[in-house]
Amino acid sequence: MGSILRPIYLDHAATTPLDPEVLEAMMPHLRNDFGNPSSVHRFGQRARAAIDEARAQVAALIGARDSEIVFTGSGTEADNLAIVGTLEASAASEAARTDLVTSAIEHHAILNTAKALDRSRHQVTVAKVDELGQVDLHDLEGAITAATALVSVMFANNETGVVQPISDVVRLARSKGSLIHTDAVQALGKVRLDVSSLDVDLLTLSAHKIYGPKGVGALYIRSGTRMRALVRGGSQERNRRAGTENVAGIVGLGKAAELARVRMGDDARRIETLRNRLEGEVMEGSPGLVARNGSAASRIGSTTSLSFEGVSGEDLLIALDLAGIAVSTGAACAAGSPEPSHVLKAMGLPRARVNGSLRFSLGRNTTAEEIDRAVESVREAVLRLRSEPSSAR
Ligand SMILES: Cc1ncc(COP(=O)(O)O)c(C=O)c1O
């Protein structure tokens, strides 16, 4: 039945489709313009000019200077660079600050990088979050000391969409003289981000969450921030990220950033209305049996995390996939693995609620008809699974 209808993609927090305009901008660099941007001749110059333009487009989206944007191979790499690059540079400087403070709901790109740090050189403190999915500011304040080199707290969470109190985080970090990094991968293109008014030192972004290609990201590094390269080699990206640039990918990120800047206002309003319709109707369909996870007052407009009582999120995901609706149980990398969400666990939600959770994330191309069909399918699947006692956990 579902197979005749076009599948409905409600997993934009995992990745987004490539915008046709982005593909068009990338094509010349996959075909004829193959030059190495480091080459002096005209082939190289064309590639260099394309990268320069992309850098300006990305900088414009976040209010940075062009020279403050470093292209990387992913959002994950940008997160790694932010943490390891600043901690190593800081530990080697006269200030000799060595420590990292982060939060329990960060993406694994942050948490596993923090875990891999040499504990004899760097102390890592992970601040708690409250039941609404926001970092606990008291805990964070207590964690930041005179030895804290970097505080890293994400802008918006990838599972719940909850926006963190970044201005408070910045105030606390600044009061102790620490650098501040925010992973804005899930917020970019959905919320206006201006690095000057945010007053952050480092900000991570990724192309494939804003209708750009996979395998390219960027790190905003405030001018003057001490940083050691993670990938060492040639002098590309002003010695901050070696390796011949992914020209087509970078051009794609630049175009996606430009489109996001132009379309953000309209897209965000329309998507939020649809998200609220989906959430409202799913909750209405099963009064008292569906709970929203995370703050409704402070979150991006495209995502909702819902927990279904008496149903396993994994079973529901599979049932919906069979009906042609693509959703997720949480982070893309956690999907398919039986690990329960570290984000919902950190919020202190009971196990059954964590296991019964599902993330819906809408995008630029989501339509009202798709939302209505998705609501119908969710209601049907939940009713069916509830009647099968083996599904409940
Ligand atoms: C919050 C957050 N940070 C970082 C990343 C990693 O970005 P990338 O997929 O480009 O490595 C993701 C991707 O899911 C994310 O959601």
Side-chain angles (χ1 to χ4, degrees):
M1 172 179 95
S3 56
I4 313 167
L5 296 168
R6 212 157 62 89
I8 296 173
Y9 186 76
L10 296 177
D11 200 14
H12 292 81
T15 197
T16 55
L18 198 67
D19 189 287
E21 286 190 51
V22 171
L23 178 62
E24 204 178 305
M26 291 170 70
M27 282 314 279
H29 303 279
L30 293 163
R31 285 202 167 118
N32 305 324
D33 292 342
F34 60 86
N36 183 327
S38 298
S39 299
V40 174
H41 49 62
R42 67 191 60 207
F43 291 82
Q45 283 170 24
R46 280 180 75 88
R48 169 66 45 214
I51 290 181
D52 288 347
E53 187 186 348
R55 204 183 302 282
Q57 288 165 319
V58 171
L61 180 59
I62 59 168
R65 291 187 222 159
D66 297 6
S67 58
E68 294 173 318
I69 303 297
V70 172
F71 291 116
T72 62
S74 60
T76 298
E77 188 193 318
D79 279 346
N80 275 257
L81 177 59
I83 291 182
V84 179
T86 54
L87 285 195
E88 285 195 359
S90 173
S93 75
E94 66 279 4
R97 287 170 177 255
T98 49
D99 298 347
L100 171 70
V101 173
T102 186
S103 89
I105 54 162
E106 298 300 309
H107 190 270
H108 283 121
I110 297 288
L111 291 178
N112 285 340
T113 303
K115 237 189 232 170
L117 291 170
D118 177 353
R119 291 306 169 100
S120 65
R121 294 177 59 217
H122 306 285
Q123 191 178 311
V124 176
T125 312
V126 179
K128 290 192 271 206
V129 299
D130 63 21
E131 68 286 355
L132 292 177
Q134 287 191 310
V135 64
D136 179 329
L137 292 171
H138 284 296
D139 204 43
L140 190 79
E141 185 169 19
I144 306 171
T145 70
T148 305
L150 180 70
V151 176
S152 179
V153 173
M154 69 199 327
F155 198 95
N157 182 263
N158 44 301
E159 294 192 30
T160 60
V162 171
V163 172
Q164 301 302 310
I166 290 298
S167 56
D168 292 317
V169 173
V170 169
R171 181 175 48 77
L172 296 176
R174 291 267 174 257
S175 73
K176 299 275 175 57
S178 312
L179 292 172
I180 164 91
H181 166 244
T182 190
D183 175 340
V185 166
Q186 292 289 341
L188 192 77
K190 299 171 187 123
V191 178
R192 295 232 171 263
L193 295 172
D194 180 83
V195 288
S196 310
S197 47
L198 283 173
D199 192 27
V200 293
D201 301 296
L202 304 125
L203 181 144
T204 292
L205 49 98
S206 175
H208 75 104
K209 311 285 186 178
I210 59 163
Y211 308 88
K214 293 165 185 61
V216 57
L219 184 65
Y220 157 77
I221 307 175
R222 181 201 287 267
S223 122
T225 306
R226 278 184 212 197
M227 174 68 72
R228 282 242 178 119
L230 198 64
V231 180
R232 297 194 175 95
S235 60
Q236 290 92 349
E237 296 299 284
R238 305 160 112 231
N239 291 311
R240 292 171 297 186
R241 203 277 189 175
T244 301
E245 298 88 336
N246 170 8
V247 181
I250 289 169
V251 166
L253 170 54
K255 187 67 187 178
E258 184 190 287
L259 294 176
R261 193 163 58 83
V262 174
R263 295 187 189 169
M264 181 151 41
D266 287 348
D267 276 356
R269 264 187 299 278
R270 204 182 57 79
I271 291 169
E272 183 165 1
T273 305
L274 290 178
R275 191 274 315 269
N276 293 347
R277 174 163 164 173
L278 169 82
E279 194 174 82
E281 294 194 3
V282 166
M283 291 177 86
E284 227 170 67
S286 294
L289 296 174
V290 185
R292 178 175 42 228
N293 301 317
S295 166
S298 174
R299 58 179 173 156
I300 51 172
S302 52
T303 299
T304 179
S305 166
L306 298 175
S307 285
F308 297 81
E309 204 174 299
V311 179
S312 129
E314 289 282 322
D315 290 348
L316 189 49
L317 181 149
I318 292 162
L320 287 175
D321 188 36
L322 289 172
I325 319 284
V327 296
S328 159
T329 50
C333 49
S337 86
E339 272 301 295
S341 153
H342 71 281
V343 174
L344 301 184
K345 273 201 323 199
M347 288 160 62
L349 300 187
R351 197 190 161 87
R353 189 154 152 194
V354 174
N355 289 342
S357 69
L358 220 52
R359 176 186 71 185
F360 300 82
S361 47
L362 287 62
R364 197 178 271 168
N365 303 320
T366 306
T367 64
E369 293 70 37
E370 287 182 326
I371 292 302
D372 293 343
R373 236 182 85 200
V375 168
E376 212 37 56
S377 298
V378 170
R379 283 184 183 168
E380 270 173 34
V382 168
L383 272 181
R384 188 157 41 76
L385 290 173
R386 279 212 185 103
S387 66
E388 294 169 8
S390 59
S391 160
R393 254 185 268 162

